[in-house]
């Protein structure tokens, strides 16, 4: 499974990183990014939930 954050859509409310801080990181301007697009198997569920709570639908998950 892979994940990325769409830079055009993202805003700075950080809900994703509250759900899965291991994958969703916050930069100096309070925007979310992922360090590594390949998701470890043990974090897949959390990553999906993080995508669901993003109000901008800025998180793109692909299986
Ligand atoms: S929840 Fe969505 S819009 Fe908010 S910081 Fe995370 S990716 Fe960005």
């Amino acid at each position: 499974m892979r994940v990325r954050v769409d830079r055009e859509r993202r805003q700075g409310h950080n809900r994703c990183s509250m759900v899965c801080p291991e994958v969703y990181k916050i930069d100096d301007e309070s925007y979310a990014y992922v360090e590594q697009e390949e998701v470890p198997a043990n974090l897949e569920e959390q990553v999906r939930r993080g995508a669901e709570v993003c109000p901008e639908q800025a998180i793109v998950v692909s299986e």
Side-chain angles (χ1 to χ4, degrees), residues 31-47:
Y31 288 113
Y33 67 98
V34 296
E35 279 178 343
Q36 201 180 315
E37 291 196 0
E38 191 68 39
V39 178
N42 64 322
L43 292 175
E44 287 185 356
E45 197 51 47
Q46 269 176 271
V47 165

Side-chain angles (χ1 to χ4, degrees), residues 6-22:
D6 185 337
R7 289 176 171 266
E8 303 296 317
R9 291 182 167 221
R10 65 183 188 170
Q11 299 285 330
H13 25 65
N14 303 337
R15 293 187 192 177
C16 53
S17 63
M18 286 189 247
V19 173
C20 188
E22 297 89 343

